[in-house]
Amino acid sequence: MFIFNITVNIQEDIQEAWVDWVKHTYMPRMLSLDTFSKAVMTRVLVEEEMGGYTYSIQYTAPNKTKLESFRVKNRNPFGETPMPFKDKFVYFTTELHIIDEQ
């Protein structure tokens, strides 16, 4: 199993609306693809020097092939982001290989 992780810092003034969009639009859209079987959204409990709030969205993929196929087709994992959020967040992605779960 593999995890595609997106770490996002979102400006405070739109944070609640962005979280709502992620939960009700973005995550369901990602799960509708033939790539991911599970999604988890967490808040990173750290105060950022640049302000805002930091979140981690993790999508589980069954194998590296599906994850690589997604990455090739989706350079920007957020695709078409609604206008209220444009230029209001920064993000980076990481890929994780699950070694063991207990």
Side-chain angles (χ1 to χ4, degrees), residues 2-94:
F2 291 81
I3 295 174
F4 177 60
N5 177 73
I6 308 169
T7 303
V8 181
N9 180 271
I10 186 82
Q11 290 181 7
E12 291 178 31
D13 60 329
I14 60 155
Q15 178 257 344
E16 287 183 29
W18 182 84
V19 168
D20 186 64
W21 173 77
V22 169
K23 288 171 33 180
H24 297 104
T25 302
Y26 178 64
M27 289 172 69
R29 184 176 71 215
M30 291 286 280
L31 289 173
S32 74
L33 303 173
D34 184 36
T35 304
F36 304 111
S37 60
K38 179 180 171 184
V40 175
M41 180 180 188
T42 61
R43 176 144 173 240
V44 179
L45 300 178
V46 61
E47 285 194 35
E48 294 290 347
E49 287 182 26
M50 63 183 171
Y53 295 96
T54 300
Y55 291 88
S56 169
I57 308 166
Q58 298 183 350
Y59 297 99
T60 303
N63 56 58
K64 182 103 171 131
T65 302
K66 283 195 179 250
L67 184 55
E68 286 176 355
S69 176
F70 170 80
R71 296 282 288 182
V72 167
K73 295 175 188 172
N74 300 280
R75 296 267 178 226
N76 175 354
F78 287 105
E80 289 299 313
T81 307
M83 282 303 291
F85 308 131
K86 289 207 185 286
D87 302 323
K88 299 268 187 170
F89 67 94
V90 295
Y91 73 92
F92 66 89
T93 63
T94 49

